[in-house]
Amino acid sequence: DAKTTQPTSMDCAEGRAANLPCNHSTISGNEYVYWYRQIHSQGPQYIIHGLKNNETNEMASLIITEDRKSSTLILPHATLRDTAVYYCIVRGGQGAQKLVFGQGTRLTINP
Amino acid sequence: GAVVSQHPSRVICKSGTSVKIECRSLDFQATTMFWYRQFPKQSLMLMATSNEGSKATYEQGVEKDKFLINHASLTLSTLTVTSAHPEDSSFYICSARDYAGPFGGYTFGSGTRLTVV
């Protein structure tokens, strides 16, 4: 699976949009981009995933560049409860099984 | 949505004893489950892939005789830490894949904090 690179930490003000970048320059055509987050001492929580097109759900938006070498997770109106470690993961296509976690970005939402 | 239940949430055991952690898929059948370990301030490290009815696939460097995985049914996988030592103290997390799920199906349990004294 392709490796991902994320900033170690980020800060964002409450109520503002949080934009978390992820580089995955070695991604191949059938690999998906997944985003999970982990709040302290809990299991990871699914946020969103995509292949080529931008995606949006009730939690966030995922913007994938046209060359697919990077993506951005957008939390449109960050709250204090969004403080967590955010993981960007690239997983292979059909038949690929495991999710391999990188170091993630520690996002702190400030009041 | 898919729910994965992990039990116990916390366990303290004496050095040299064995500890079993259970991972259950509550509303779906999981032919594949995953076990991770996480040390403080570190990311999740995949230990093994558990396949129903067959042997688990362990990641490089993970001792299969120390971390026994059993996936005897479509809703239950267990991880047994044998002859536990203080260095095995960690946060263990399981994940199950619901192939019919809406997001590629990877759902995580809430984790088990193991402390070996």
Side-chain angles (χ1 to χ4, degrees), chain B residues 6-11 19-22 92 111-113:
Chain B
Q6 192 171 337
H7 180 81
S9 58
R10 292 178 177 271
V11 58
V19 174
K20 180 184 287 188
I21 302 170
E22 293 186 347
Y92 291 86
T112 297
R113 186 160 303 282

Side-chain angles (χ1 to χ4, degrees), chain B residues 16-74:
Chain B
T17 62
S18 296
V19 174
K20 180 184 287 188
I21 302 170
E22 293 186 347
C23 181
R24 293 181 185 274
S25 57
L26 296 188
D27 49 3
F28 66 99
Q29 294 183 331
T31 56
T32 305
M33 293 185 175
F34 307 90
W35 287 96
Y36 294 82
R37 179 168 57 180
Q38 185 175 34
F39 292 109
K41 299 188 183 302
Q42 294 187 21
S43 183
L44 285 76
M45 185 192 79
L46 181 65
M47 299 174 67
T49 301
S50 170
N51 301 297
E52 187 267 336
S54 65
K55 292 183 178 180
T57 303
Y58 290 82
E59 295 297 305
Q60 191 173 10
V62 177
E63 300 175 60
K64 60 182 66 177
D65 294 332
K66 181 166 185 62
F67 299 100
L68 300 180
I69 292 172
N70 184 281
H71 193 160
S73 80
L74 287 171

